[in-house]
Amino acid sequence: MTTLSFEGAPLLVIGAGIMGAGIAQVAAQAGHTVQLFDTREGAATQAKAKLAGTLDGLVAKGRIEPGAAQATLARITPVAALEEARGVRLVVEAIVEDLAIKRALFKQLEALVAADCVLASNTSSISITALASGLAQPGRLVGMHFFNPVPLMKLVEVVSGLHTDAAVADAIFVLSKAWGKVPVHTRSTPGFIVNRIARPYYAEALALLLEQAATPPVLDACLRAAGFRMGPCELMDLIGHDTNFAVTNSVFEANFQDKRYMPSLVQREMVDGGLLGRKSGRGFYRYPEGAAALPVAVHEAPATAREVTVHGHGPIADALEAAATQALAPQGWGPAREPGSDWTGLSIDGARLVLTDGRTAGERARAAGVRDLAVFDRPLQLPAAPGTARAFAVSAGASATWGPQAAAWLSALGFAPLPVSDSPGLIVARTVGMLINEAADAVLQGVCTEAGADSAMKLGVSYPAGPFEWLARWSVPEVVVLLDALDHHYRGERYRTSPWLLRQPATPR
Ligand code: NAI
């Protein structure tokens, strides 16, 4: 196969469940005639009837013309037997997630369809290489991984296994674009792009819960404040802990039990106890009520200081200087500035309020020889809106007054301070650092490009930015320092720094 085009080509979609019905809709809306098959009797006809209702709704809302809705529906034909579906140029499979069943189906298809018919699988976790193995023409099998709900989600991961013909992957890429999607090429590795790079979003929250560093409402508030649409705990409740745990397990097992991907005891306990999230009425939160809003803590103004200096350089130090200037203005003076310091934060009469670099407050207090020290979490968006949640932790040996003073200062600087245990990298820096690390490994291993990872995470799981966009705003050396601090603290394999990061040039990206 050299050049392939599916323009106007007839399609067969197999599996008329959630995903197959959505794929059939999108293909028919793009002008393809679609045959729809499901082994469950009547399923394809029911899916078509349901789609008729959906299209009626879109017409009623003025989103599509009545003629377009009718034409879309007319292009879809339920078929009662696979043998009826001859003449198609592309088959998209969206049946049960089972290697043996999918393999058997593809073998059966090879005997039915033409030699140049492409076979695509919507599998979310099965190796495309394994699916193709044993086929007479394994080069024509490719992954076409849509996201749920198919008509709304823009991302399509185009997955190449070891056998997949490059021309086949390219043709599916072009076709996905023609369907109004944003395709991203990826190699057949566990979790592909999105389900792999997203693991730390859940794993770091679960790790912090396991060591009782923070509560679900605090974790959610901090990550929402960083721009994520949902915090990790409310998101796991929405996905369902059984589903989320199964995906984590499958990525863990598929990576030969690499500790990087180790599932959490916290989540297993919830699954075992039937606390599956929204669908079971209880997960981290109870439903239908959901998460209660965090009580707003009122902090008194910090005690009058004799000396306030903003240390460090760059946008975060600049934002701190602006906030400290505003906070001190009523007293008629402003902060000093020490741009040459190798740390970012405030010194207040010798005490330190320090931006996390991955080390704990205790470690930093010891290193600096300072008793009263607190670390605060990294802002991802500047300027931060007033009242933005910000986790902070106080060094263990600090004086009794320092904790409340650190909170009062963070509050005076415009944040909503949330105390957490003295854990490395706090919440946002640790989570985003690990998302970057995972994306870096994916690029190192040729799973995707940097741009592909960014698109996939923004479109597949609605992240506010892609991992490499965060990295560009942060810096490679700072991320490496953070990961090394985590690695040193936990002394396991989980936080090992991606060699991709270590090999970046010293100059800023
Ligand atoms: P579903 O359970 O809603 O639908 C699967 C359909 O396939 C059912 O109607 C079933 O009767 C039919 N089926 C089972 N075996 C069959 C066979 N041998 N031949 C023909 N039809 C058969 O499942 P869903 O959620 O649509 O998932 C389908 C595939 O898409 C799976 O591989 C899944 O991993 C993948 N996927 C699912 C996503 C989701 O959010 N649900 C997202 C992305 C991929």
Side-chain angles (χ1 to χ4, degrees), residues 192-219:
F192 308 138
I193 305 174
V194 172
N195 278 335
R196 175 213 181 127
I197 296 178
R199 296 319 330 137
Y201 193 63
Y202 317 108
E204 293 314 310
L206 292 165
L208 286 163
L209 289 169
L210 184 68
E211 56 184 61
Q212 306 184 77
T215 60
V218 167
L219 290 163

Side-chain angles (χ1 to χ4, degrees), residues 62-103:
R63 301 254 181 87
I64 53 172
E65 294 293 321
Q70 274 167 12
T72 296
L73 212 55
R75 286 188 203 106
I76 300 177
T77 310
V79 290
L82 268 187
E83 289 70 17
E84 289 176 30
R86 287 173 204 271
V88 293
R89 301 259 312 285
L90 170 66
V91 178
V92 184
E93 168 276 312
I95 67 165
V96 60
E97 187 74 345
D98 181 298
L99 173 62
I101 298 176
K102 284 191 198 279
R103 248 189 191 157

Side-chain angles (χ1 to χ4, degrees), residues 17-19 38-40 94-95 97 102 122 124 145-146 148:
I18 301 173
M19 297 303 286
D38 197 294
T39 42
R40 193 161 39 91
I95 67 165
E97 187 74 345
K102 284 191 198 279
N122 182 49
S124 42
H145 185 214
F146 290 88
N148 186 14

Side-chain angles (χ1 to χ4, degrees), residues 139-453:
R140 62 163 140 177
L141 194 128
V142 63
M144 191 178 192
H145 185 214
F146 290 88
F147 289 72
N148 186 14
V150 179
L152 298 183
M153 297 296 282
K154 288 274 179 203
L155 181 65
V156 175
E157 291 179 333
V158 179
V159 190
S160 292
L162 287 182
H163 304 285
T164 309
D165 194 326
V168 167
D170 288 343
I172 292 293
F173 189 94
V174 170
L175 178 72
S176 304
K177 269 193 170 169
W179 290 3
K181 300 297 179 194
V182 179
V184 176
H185 280 294
T186 177
R187 283 206 306 117
S188 179
T189 50
F192 308 138
I193 305 174
V194 172
N195 278 335
R196 175 213 181 127
I197 296 178
R199 296 319 330 137
Y201 193 63
Y202 317 108
E204 293 314 310
L206 292 165
L208 286 163
L209 289 169
L210 184 68
E211 56 184 61
Q212 306 184 77
T215 60
V218 167
L219 290 163
D220 284 346
C222 288
L223 283 151
R224 253 188 277 116
F228 289 89
R229 203 174 276 178
M230 293 181 90
C233 299
E234 52 186 345
L235 182 55
M236 283 184 271
D237 272 5
L238 178 70
I239 294 168
H241 288 276
D242 49 347
T243 305
N244 191 259
F245 187 63
V247 176
T248 304
N249 255 312
S250 117
V251 173
F252 174 61
E253 292 297 337
N255 281 290
F256 310 107
Q257 306 193 343
D258 183 343
K259 292 232 169 21
R260 166 79 62 80
Y261 307 104
M262 196 160 78
S264 169
L265 274 178
V266 171
Q267 195 168 40
R268 194 180 69 185
E269 193 73 355
M270 292 177 75
V271 173
D272 287 351
L275 279 71
L276 304 182
R278 274 174 196 259
K279 63 181 166 190
S280 73
R282 190 175 158 199
F284 288 119
Y285 306 109
R286 286 181 187 274
Y287 296 91
E289 299 85 12
L294 272 180
V296 180
V298 179
H299 297 275
E300 290 182 6
T304 308
R306 278 169 283 115
E307 170 268 319
V308 175
T309 305
V310 177
H311 293 260
H313 59 273
I316 296 179
D318 293 345
L320 281 174
E321 184 178 10
T325 303
Q326 208 176 346
L328 292 171
Q331 298 173 31
W333 60 293
R337 181 79 193 252
E338 210 38 270
S341 299
D342 61 359
W343 56 279
T344 299
L346 259 62
S347 64
I348 305 150
D349 290 343
R352 286 190 188 178
L353 200 51
V354 177
L355 172 70
T356 180
D357 67 358
R359 288 176 292 169
T360 62
E363 286 164 338
R364 298 203 59 174
R366 272 194 298 283
V370 171
R371 185 181 176 202
D372 289 344
L373 187 142
V375 287
F376 62 91
D377 210 350
R378 191 174 180 89
L380 283 191
Q381 293 168 326
L382 287 173
T388 300
R390 182 69 27 98
F392 76 104
V394 175
S395 57
S399 57
T401 51
W402 173 237
Q405 276 303 302
W409 270 102
L410 284 170
S411 177
L413 294 171
F415 302 118
L418 295 173
V420 298
S421 295
D422 191 16
S423 46
L426 298 171
I427 297 172
V428 174
R430 169 178 174 145
T431 303
V432 173
M434 285 297 282
L435 289 170
I436 293 172
N437 202 35
E438 199 52 50
D441 260 358
V443 170
L444 178 76
Q445 294 163 11
V447 172
C448 56
T449 60
E450 296 170 42

